[in-house]
């Protein structure tokens, strides 16, 4: 009897079967309790992404989905309704999951505990529910950033002290980018992988596996409106790129979107110290450490300018760090300026 031959549609079917859930299990190569936990965690994160994407796609049609709440968060930043919606989505999807005892987010002063999970919930989720909030009301790119850490100790006094450790303690990290399509990018320490949401299936389908950031790229991404608030070294870096061919400025106001471009095409994103924010704007546990985890997995680098981001140990939950992240060569160039070893600017340049 002749062996069955799949039809020509098999390629498309194979692609559609490469779901996030299947990929995570393949990555883990084990059915150990921890592998099953991580797989369930990723499934819940995907659900959070789908819920937020759905809400965003209709936000302009709904009463009271957009705009400010009128309050400020622990960072002193004006809170948008979407920040709160997304913050609560993550809490809801992890309730009764048995996976996560604590969630720490930039929108909450102290971690949120799910007491019924705490006897068994061995993980903590750290997240930025909406990254790029200034883009929300104008229908531009925004994201969510997440990081998973193993809970150490019982944290009976609910101080979250064990979270004050470096980025190497992260088990997994990633982000969801809400753009023309919804994309989820994650790493569990075995490469960086991207998935696109197929809304008709309700599944994230593999789009790119083992992403490697180019060693150098054309993009520099920084808010040059802060020029006069920067240290001289950062001003000199921007003068350098202005005077050299091959650089292009891109800045969306959403770190996730700017990072995604650089991950795929190379270049450097920076949010350096400013006079108003001497530690920069971005938060270590919810923003810079998760993206540092990803870029290192993709063969790039993340630095404060003088230290690897992954090595930074916070003193407080909401600590900020300056950030220089992207292609190794471009990060090194920015560091050279910061460390007072800039390359020579050719004479014929103005
Ligand atoms: P968030 O919306 O979570 O507060 O983060 C906004 C961050 C980041 O996404 C972006 O790169 C940066 O803030 C933009 O800040 P500026 O407006 O100061 O450039
Ligand atoms: Mn953010
Ligand atoms: Mn945010």
């Amino acid at each position: 009897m002749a062996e069955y031959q799949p039809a020509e549609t098999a390629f498309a079917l194979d692609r559609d079967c490469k779901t996030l859930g299947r990929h995570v299990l393949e990555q883990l190569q084990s059915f150990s309790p921890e592998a099953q936990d991580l797989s369930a965690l990723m499934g819940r994160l995907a659900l959070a992404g789908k819920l937020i994407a759905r809400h965003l796609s209709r936000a302009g049609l709904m009463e009271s989905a957009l705009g400010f709440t009128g309050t400020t968060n622990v960072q002193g930043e004006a809170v948008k309704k979407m920040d709160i919606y997304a913050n609560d989505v993550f809490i809801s999807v992890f309730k009764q999951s048995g996976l996560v005892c604590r969630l720490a987010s930039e929108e909450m002063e102290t971690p949120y505990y799910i007491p019924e999970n705490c006897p068994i919930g061995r993980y903590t989720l750290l997240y930025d529910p909406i990254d790029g909030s200034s883009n929300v009301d104008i229908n531009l790119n925004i994201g969510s950033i997440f990081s998973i850490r193993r809970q150490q100790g019982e944290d009976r006094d609910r101080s979250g002290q064990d979270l004050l450790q470096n980025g190497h303690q992260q088990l997994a990290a990633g982000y969801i980018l809400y753009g023309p399509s919804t994309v989820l990018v994650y790493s569990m320490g075995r490469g960086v992988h991207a998935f696109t949401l197929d809304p008709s299936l309700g599944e994230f389908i593999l789009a790119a596996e083992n992403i490697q950031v180019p060693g150098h790229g054309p993009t520099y991404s920084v808010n040059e409106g802060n020029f006069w608030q920067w240290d001289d070294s950062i001003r000199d870096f921007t003068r350098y790129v202005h005077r050299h061919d091959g650089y292009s400025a891109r800045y969306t106001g959403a770190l996730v979107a700017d990072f995604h471009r650089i991950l795929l095409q190379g270049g450097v994103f920076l949010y350096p110290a400013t006079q108003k924010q001497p530690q920069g704007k971005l938060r270590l546990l919810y923003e810079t450490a998760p993206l540092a985890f990803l870029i290192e997995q993709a063969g790039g680098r993340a630095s404060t300018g003088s230290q690897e981001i992954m090595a930074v140990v916070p003193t407080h939950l909401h600590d900020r760090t300056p950030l220089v992240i992207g292609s190794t060569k471009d990060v090194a160039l920015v560091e050279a300026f910061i460390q007072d070893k800039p390359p020579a600017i050719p004479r014929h340049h103005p």
Side-chain angles (χ1 to χ4, degrees), residues 9 12 20 31 38 47 104 117 203-204 212 215 233 239 248 260 276 292 294 319 322 338 344:
T9 48
L20 176 65
F31 290 100
L38 284 172
L47 175 60
N117 287 354
E203 291 275 8
F204 282 100
Q212 287 288 299
S233 59
R239 289 183 181 115
S248 221
H260 193 65
K276 284 189 203 141
L294 289 174
D319 277 2
I338 293 173

Side-chain angles (χ1 to χ4, degrees), residues 320-339:
R320 300 170 194 259
T321 62
L323 177 66
V324 183
I325 192 166
S327 302
T328 48
K329 210 173 154 197
D330 301 304
V331 171
L333 178 65
V334 179
E335 282 178 330
F337 281 93
I338 293 173
Q339 294 165 14

Side-chain angles (χ1 to χ4, degrees), residues 106 128 130-133 223 251 253-255 271 281 283 287:
E106 65 172 38
D128 177 358
I130 294 287
D131 173 66
S133 297
N223 184 347
Y251 193 78
L255 169 64
Y271 207 114
K281 181 178 183 190
R283 287 133 290 216
E287 292 170 317

Side-chain angles (χ1 to χ4, degrees), residues 2-292:
E3 202 180 323
Y4 179 74
Q5 289 295 323
E8 279 179 14
T9 48
F11 172 76
L13 280 174
D14 274 353
R15 187 200 56 212
D16 289 353
C17 287
K18 290 261 178 201
T19 62
L20 176 65
R22 180 170 149 184
H23 193 267
V24 169
L25 285 172
E26 280 174 13
Q27 282 274 299
L28 291 164
Q29 291 177 338
S30 140
F31 290 100
S32 67
E34 175 156 301
Q36 294 194 23
D37 286 349
L38 284 172
S39 148
L41 275 160
M42 288 304 303
R44 298 281 170 148
L45 289 164
L47 175 60
K50 287 184 258 186
L51 286 163
I52 295 168
R54 183 182 69 174
H55 192 71
L56 287 169
S57 69
R58 300 189 310 211
L61 303 170
M62 295 192 293
E63 297 286 331
S64 64
L66 298 176
F68 290 96
T69 60
T71 55
T72 53
N73 64 13
V74 57
Q75 332 270 343
E77 296 159 348
V79 177
K80 293 208 159 158
K81 291 172 190 162
M82 200 61 74
D83 293 317
I84 299 303
Y85 175 82
N87 194 64
D88 293 351
V89 164
F90 282 93
I91 292 174
S92 295
V93 302
F94 282 101
K95 271 194 180 151
Q96 284 146 7
S97 67
L99 293 165
V100 158
C101 165
R102 300 175 303 195
L103 293 95
S105 132
E106 65 172 38
E107 299 300 338
M108 301 187 288
E109 188 165 357
T110 52
Y112 182 95
Y113 286 76
I114 307 178
E116 61 270 27
N117 287 354
C118 289
I120 42 174
R122 294 184 291 278
Y123 307 94
T124 298
L125 179 76
L126 298 113
Y127 64 113
D128 177 358
I130 294 287
D131 173 66
S133 297
S134 75
N135 286 357
V136 165
D137 296 338
I138 48 171
N139 194 37
L140 293 183
N141 285 174
I142 53 178
S144 300
I145 307 174
F146 58 85
S147 160
I148 298 166
R149 294 183 183 226
R150 194 177 287 109
Q151 180 163 337
Q152 293 169 8
E154 294 197 25
D155 193 15
R156 282 189 200 281
D157 62 355
R158 295 193 168 187
S159 62
Q161 279 298 309
D162 63 298
L163 294 170
L164 306 180
Q165 296 193 56
N166 69 31
H168 296 287
Q169 301 300 319
Q170 296 173 104
L171 294 175
Y175 58 83
I176 303 150
L177 169 63
Y178 312 102
S181 58
T182 300
V183 170
L184 186 151
V185 174
Y186 87 103
S187 176
M188 292 191 309
R190 294 182 187 87
V192 180
H193 318 289
F195 295 78
T196 301
L197 179 62
D198 181 334
S200 65
L201 290 173
E203 291 275 8
F204 282 100
I205 305 295
L206 183 65
E209 205 169 20
N210 293 316
I211 297 169
Q212 287 288 299
V213 58
H216 162 67
T219 297
Y220 76 100
S221 187
V222 64
N223 184 347
E224 293 200 49
N226 291 332
F227 190 88
W228 293 111
Q229 284 203 56
W230 292 336
D231 187 74
D232 274 342
S233 59
I234 304 294
R235 289 185 212 160
D236 286 344
F237 164 73
T238 55
R239 289 183 181 115
Y240 177 91
V241 295
H242 294 168
R243 290 171 190 180
H244 282 76
D245 273 349
Y247 288 99
S248 221
R250 291 285 185 274
Y251 193 78
T252 68
L255 169 64
V256 165
D258 290 320
F259 177 85
H260 193 65
R261 182 201 307 277
I262 284 164
L263 176 68
L264 298 181
Q265 299 178 346
V268 63
F269 174 96
L270 49 157
Y271 207 114
T274 62
Q275 274 165 19
K276 284 189 203 141
Q277 291 182 301
Q279 290 306 312
K281 181 178 183 190
L282 302 169
R283 287 133 290 216
L284 178 69
L285 291 177
Y286 321 113
E287 292 170 317
T288 64
L291 296 188

